[in-house]
Structures are given as C-alpha cells and as structure tokens.
Amino acid sequence: MKRTTSIIAFLVLAIAAAPRGAEATALRGIVVDAVSGQRISAAGVFIVGTSLGATTGLDGNFQILFVPAGTYDVRVSCDGYETKIERGVVVGERGIVEIEVALQVTSLQEYRIDDLVVSADRVLSTEAAVLAERQLAATIGDAISVETIAKSPDATSSDILKRITGLSIVDDKFVFIRGVTDRYNATSLDGVVVTSTDTDTDRKSFTFDIIPSHLIASTSVIKTATPDLPGDFSGGLVQIRTLEFPQKLFFKLAAGTSAIERTTTESFMGSQGGDKD
C-alpha cells in the first residue's frame, strides 16, 4: 500500500513540474489535393529549421507535438505533387495550431522518362529450372541439374548419365538408351550436334568420359523425337549444357585409390638382378 502511494505521489509531482507550454503546444492539420479536395496520405510535413516532422495518415491528417513557440515555415511534399511551403505559421506558447495545405499535381512532363528495358538471362541449370522444363516439355525425358551434380562424386559426364533411368553405360563411356546401341543415339553439346569420337569408322558414338563433371551445367536425355530435334536418332538424344567460362583461374584437386583382392597386400615372385641390369 505504501509503495502504491509513493508511485502516485511521484506521478503527481512529475506532472506538476512538466513545462505547461510544451505539454499543450502542437501543430496539426490536413493535406488535400488542390483540385479534387481529396485527402492525401503518406505526405511528409516538416518544420523548416528544426528536426520536427510527421507523415499524414490514411485520412490525410498529421500532428507534430512539443513544438517550441515561434514563427515557422512548414514544408509539405508528396510523390506526384509539387512541394509547397507554408510560410509564417505562428505557434504560441500554449495551444494547438491547425493548418490546411493544398498540393498541386506535378506536371506529367516532369515525370516522363525514356523507355526502360530490363533484361536477364534465363537460368536453366538449377533444380527448379530443370523440373519446370520437364513439366512443360512435349517429349519424354529426364534431366540432372548442376545442383545434383555438385552433391555427387561423379568425375565425368558418363558417371552422371548412370543416374538417369533407362540408360546404360558401356565401357564407361558409350551410352545405350532404352536398350538401343550407341550407334543409333545422338549427342548435342550446348545445342550443337557433336560427331563421333571413336576411331572405328563403323561405329557412330560419342565418348562421354572426356567431359569433366565440374564443367557441366545440366544434362538431359530426350527419348522421343519432335520436329525441332535432329532426326538421326532412334534411341534418344543426350543434351549437355556446359557452364559459363570462369572469370578467374581456379584449380580442382582430386585423389583416389583402388585395391584388387588377388594382388593388393599379397606377396609376389620377382627376379634377382644386379646394378648393371
């Protein structure tokens, strides 16, 4: 009870000691359109020469509290309207001063600009882009994005193709699609059909172990033909998109090991020789 009485007494003393002029002095008003009379929201109201200001609400009203007594210039601005300065606004030691400011619409010629063109390259290597492309495609196929490639230990494009359904990799470099040999499949690199890399002229194929996986943006396999695709395949078309050239030099280091049951850690026979061998 004593604590409550002390708090009340403190508040009474604080109110009594507060400056009477600062408590009651304020500048408030309304900002409207000079032609239509419609109230303007989000208009900035500032008292020139001070740090005092406010912004009009949805109803166009504003209020600036604790304005020292004096004569001020009030600047009112809003996007699409000409800035207006109300001069000689007198604020007394006590009381509330109300003003009304009408703003004129800015001439349209002052806001006219040249054509603005925003351009951007479409990113086709992300997981979302690959899925969206598959959903909108008129063909049957599958694809792997650069995000999936980065999470896998694959070293070459042939290792990546092993993860696509319906494909078989022969000799770690030749692709069989839906059981059809590599002779009847086609390959394109960045939209350009690539020729055979096999020295056997009787075999039409492409060796996929020559493209490192860290240079591939996405890999897709199309299993049905459409008029916009090359017509020299019956099994499928492998499309490889590579990454852009890097802006700076980089190095990639990889290490690996292997073991064979019959020879690793096993002893073997060797011939005796001398330093003259």
Side-chain angles (χ1 to χ4, degrees), residues 17-270:
R20 305 302 296 176
E23 178 184 355
T25 303
L27 174 64
R28 68 185 182 187
I30 183 174
V31 180
V32 298
D33 188 294
V35 178
S36 64
Q38 185 177 2
R39 300 189 177 191
I40 301 175
S41 61
V45 182
F46 302 96
I47 299 178
V48 180
T50 69
S51 60
L52 301 176
T55 303
T56 59
L58 297 177
D59 54 359
N61 293 322
F62 69 91
Q63 183 172 354
I64 305 175
L65 299 176
F66 307 120
V67 180
T71 303
Y72 302 98
D73 294 338
V74 180
R75 185 177 73 250
V76 182
S77 61
C78 183
D79 291 339
Y81 292 88
E82 296 180 358
T83 301
K84 186 175 183 180
I85 298 180
E86 291 286 339
R87 302 186 182 277
V89 178
V90 180
V91 178
E93 294 184 356
R94 295 192 60 185
I96 298 175
V97 180
E98 297 186 359
I99 62 174
E100 180 175 334
V101 182
L103 299 182
Q104 295 284 346
V105 178
T106 304
S107 175
L108 297 178
Q109 293 182 353
E110 298 182 11
Y111 275 80
R112 186 174 61 188
I113 61 175
D114 296 333
D115 294 340
L116 180 64
V117 179
V118 179
S119 61
D121 295 331
R122 182 184 177 190
V123 180
L124 299 175
S125 58
T126 62
E127 189 71 24
V130 169
L131 292 175
E133 187 177 8
R134 289 179 58 188
Q135 291 176 350
L136 299 175
T139 59
I140 299 175
D142 203 346
I144 295 180
S145 66
V146 66
E147 297 176 357
T148 305
I149 296 174
K151 298 176 183 178
S152 66
D154 301 333
T156 63
S157 58
S158 61
D159 298 329
I160 297 173
L161 292 173
K162 292 178 182 179
R163 303 180 181 277
I164 297 180
T165 305
L167 267 70
S168 300
I169 304 298
V170 179
D171 296 336
D172 290 331
K173 54 185 176 181
F174 301 120
V175 172
F176 283 33
I177 302 176
R178 298 186 301 171
V180 180
T181 63
D182 51 350
R183 177 180 178 86
Y184 303 102
N185 300 321
T187 305
S188 67
L189 182 63
D190 292 330
V192 179
V193 178
V194 295
T195 58
S196 173
T197 56
D198 196 344
T199 57
D200 186 359
T201 57
D202 192 30
R203 187 173 188 177
K204 175 181 176 292
S205 61
F206 179 80
T207 54
F208 289 91
D209 59 345
I210 65 175
I211 304 179
S213 61
H214 63 275
L215 295 181
I216 298 177
S218 64
T219 301
S220 59
V221 178
I222 299 176
K223 303 175 184 178
T224 56
T226 55
D228 61 323
L229 299 177
D232 58 345
F233 71 91
S234 58
L237 173 64
V238 180
Q239 295 178 325
I240 298 177
R241 299 189 184 98
T242 59
L243 295 171
E244 297 291 337
F245 286 103
Q247 298 180 355
K248 58 182 180 179
L249 183 65
F250 71 94
F251 295 93
K252 183 176 182 180
L253 180 64
T257 183
S258 61
I260 303 177
E261 282 184 28
R262 298 181 181 179
T263 58
T264 303
T265 69
E266 299 291 337
S267 60
F268 61 93
M269 302 295 292

